[in-house]
Amino acid sequence: MAAAALLAAPAAAAPPRTLFASPVWVAFDRGADCAAIARSELLALPGRDQARATISFDRPPGRRRGELHLRLSRPAIPGSTVLVQAGGATFQLTARGPDAWSTGPAQEAALIAAIRSAGDLRARFRAGDGGHTDRYLLTGAPTAIDAAAAACASRG
């Protein structure tokens, strides 16, 4: 997996430091924050955004302590919801256009716990051309999440 395709760093910022890499998940230290990132199982068609999942932690530990952000494969219909399934648990995310976010610390802790025990994560949503599911394999996700969390917790 090409790390550059998953992480767009501003030109003036220092390049992110890779903390962990598996065939599916990568963990980065991006300076002000750390993140575990994966692309969806299906590659995007040319000219389309690649669907990806990001679990972010702030440095110093602050606002984000495992926030899940999804870049959807296409924009969700305004006012619609994004349902995420991991294992037997289902979560409703806040959506706006092609992005969806977890709703707070309690949901984020439950999502991370579900990700640790599930084989995949599925984001179901409605777009202008119908219903869609973005699927993420979770092999390596626990290690990537732990690496990102530890990196941002260890230095303040």
Side-chain angles (χ1 to χ4, degrees):
M1 174 183 343
L6 292 175
L7 185 65
R17 182 172 57 100
T18 303
L19 304 168
F20 168 81
S22 75
V24 181
W25 284 81
V26 178
F28 292 106
D29 180 339
R30 303 187 290 193
D33 72 345
C34 304
I37 304 172
R39 68 165 179 79
S40 67
E41 183 178 38
L42 296 176
L43 292 175
L45 296 172
R48 286 195 178 252
D49 277 345
Q50 175 64 51
R52 63 187 177 277
T54 305
I55 299 174
S56 299
F57 300 87
D58 284 338
R59 176 183 286 126
R63 183 178 62 82
R64 295 181 306 171
R65 297 297 305 147
E67 176 185 66
L68 174 66
H69 169 249
L70 298 178
R71 179 61 156 196
L72 304 171
S73 57
R74 47 192 48 78
I77 292 175
S80 66
T81 60
V82 175
L83 295 179
V84 170
Q85 295 176 307
T90 301
F91 305 91
Q92 183 175 330
L93 303 186
T94 299
R96 187 173 60 236
D99 298 295
W101 294 270
S102 51
T103 60
Q107 186 187 63
E108 290 152 4
L111 268 161
I112 289 172
I115 286 169
R116 288 183 184 286
S117 62
D120 70 355
L121 181 141
R122 295 170 191 259
R124 300 179 193 278
F125 61 98
R126 295 204 39 86
D129 59 351
H132 294 279
T133 301
D134 292 340
R135 181 174 180 245
Y136 300 86
L137 300 176
L138 297 177
T139 304
T143 305
I145 292 166
D146 290 346
C152 267
S154 68
R155 294 185 295 157

